[in-house]
């Protein structure tokens, strides 16, 4: 797995992280797993539940993500902004109407058709005055400063991709039910 690396740092703040892994499954199967947002709690160490509130069954659902960090719990509103099978899936996250981040996954064949390179990315959207309010909410609700959020996300992305890989590869090994 490629380590999460900052892609754009200005004023000492990291605005983007990316990390990759290879999954022994075709891109369409990996995309199908990722685009079912209800499955995110299986992989993410911070997301504990998802409630789809709009666009159910469509390619761009709106959902509430319920999150936990230690004893702290909070929720975010998420809107799928890209669902281009089997290449990319992304959603924008906000809290109290304030943009927080875009989370996404880019997929591409890795060698043979049965393997997929998955790159997870995070882009911080907390800019300007509204961004400072969102930073404050992050400190209160999640208990993380912008600096701590970067390290939390870096570790969480590694965990998410590992769990995603294990889940998708285990599903690919399961025998099909006999008819």
């Amino acid at each position: 797995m490629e380590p999460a690396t900052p892609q754009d740092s200005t004023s000492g703040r990291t605005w983007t992280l990316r990390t990759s892994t290879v999954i022994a499954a075709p891109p369409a199967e990996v995309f199908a797993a990722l685009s079912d947002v209800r499955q995110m709690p299986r992989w993410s160490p911070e997301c504990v539940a998802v409630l789809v509130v709009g666009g159910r069954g469509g390619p761009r659902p709106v959902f509430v993500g319920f999150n936990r960090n230690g004893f702290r719990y909070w929720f975010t509103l998420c809107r799928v902004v890209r669902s281009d099978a089997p290449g990319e899936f992304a959603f924008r996250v906000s809290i109290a109407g304030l943009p927080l981040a875009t989370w996404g996954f880019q997929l591409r064949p890795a060698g043979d058709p049965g393997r997929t390179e998955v790159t997870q990315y995070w882009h911080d959207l907390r800019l300007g005055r509204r961004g400072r309010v969102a930073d404050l909410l992050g400190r209160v609700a999640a208990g993380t400063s912008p600096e701590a959020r970067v390290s939390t996300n870096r570790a969480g992305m590694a965990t998410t991709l590992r769990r995603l890989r294990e889940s998708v590869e285990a599903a690919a090994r399961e025998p099909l039910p006999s008819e």
Side-chain angles (χ1 to χ4, degrees):
M1 184 176 315
E2 170 189 311
T5 57
Q7 298 296 308
D8 177 25
S9 294
T10 55
S11 306
R13 183 161 173 172
T14 300
W15 296 96
T16 301
L17 296 173
R18 299 176 72 79
T19 190
S20 299
T21 194
V22 174
I23 298 176
E29 288 180 26
V30 178
F31 185 88
L34 285 170
S35 62
D36 181 357
V37 296
R38 298 165 301 166
Q39 300 301 313
M40 197 58 66
R42 294 177 61 194
W43 310 312
S44 170
E46 197 167 71
C47 179
V48 296
V50 166
L51 174 64
V52 177
V53 294
R56 233 180 274 271
R60 298 183 187 261
V62 175
F63 60 99
V64 177
F66 296 90
N67 306 291
R68 180 180 65 85
N69 183 6
F71 65 89
R72 297 172 189 266
Y73 289 86
W74 71 98
F75 65 92
T76 56
L77 183 64
C78 306
R79 178 179 307 276
V80 173
V81 294
R82 178 161 283 131
S83 184
D84 300 328
E88 186 169 4
F89 184 79
F91 53 93
R92 184 155 294 154
V93 179
S94 63
I95 189 167
L98 301 169
L100 295 179
T102 299
W103 285 93
F105 299 86
Q106 295 172 324
L107 294 81
R108 64 184 186 133
D112 66 68
R115 296 172 59 83
T116 305
E117 179 182 37
V118 180
T119 299
Q120 184 179 16
Y121 62 88
W122 166 79
H123 183 72
D124 193 340
L125 299 176
R126 297 170 292 164
L127 302 169
R129 184 176 22 204
R130 290 170 46 104
R132 287 189 295 277
V133 173
D135 282 344
L136 177 62
L137 282 174
R139 289 177 194 271
V140 173
T144 54
S145 66
E147 299 78 20
R149 175 54 40 203
V150 169
S151 61
T152 297
N153 288 353
R154 185 177 285 120
M157 290 165 76
T159 299
T160 297
L161 287 179
R162 178 182 51 78
R163 289 176 178 172
L164 173 66
R165 183 180 64 238
E166 291 168 353
S167 172
V168 170
E169 289 178 355
R173 287 190 303 267
E174 290 180 8
L176 295 174
S178 57
E179 296 182 25

